[in-house]
Amino acid sequence: MTVFTFHLANVRPITAFKAQLAQPDGRTVTGLKHAECMTQMTLGAPMLSPSRIQFRTLTMFAAWE
């Protein structure tokens, strides 16, 4: 059975950037099948607005065994 989870974390911008470069996987986290890390965005904000991408909020979707 696969369990899907959604996580939000308030982190420093450098931590969010590093998490996007080095995605967690099953080799480093026991039971993890797949994970996607990204920064949170404000829907409806202009494309080039500083308020659109929130570098302090890390979002992760994960699939677990």
Side-chain angles (χ1 to χ4, degrees):
M1 179 168 94
T2 302
V3 176
F4 297 96
T5 58
F6 172 77
H7 308 270
L8 293 173
N10 290 324
V11 296
R12 296 180 309 166
I14 191 70
T15 303
F17 181 72
K18 286 179 181 179
Q20 291 179 26
L21 290 179
Q23 300 280 332
D25 60 16
R27 293 174 291 173
T28 57
V29 181
T30 305
L32 183 65
K33 286 185 173 181
H34 183 77
E36 293 286 332
C37 294
M38 60 202 82
T39 57
Q40 188 172 350
M41 293 180 135
T42 302
L43 296 176
M47 287 294 288
L48 300 176
S49 169
S51 66
R52 181 174 177 89
I53 299 175
Q54 300 173 11
F55 289 108
R56 294 191 174 270
T57 305
L58 181 65
T59 305
M60 184 176 93
F61 294 95
W64 304 87
E65 289 182 352

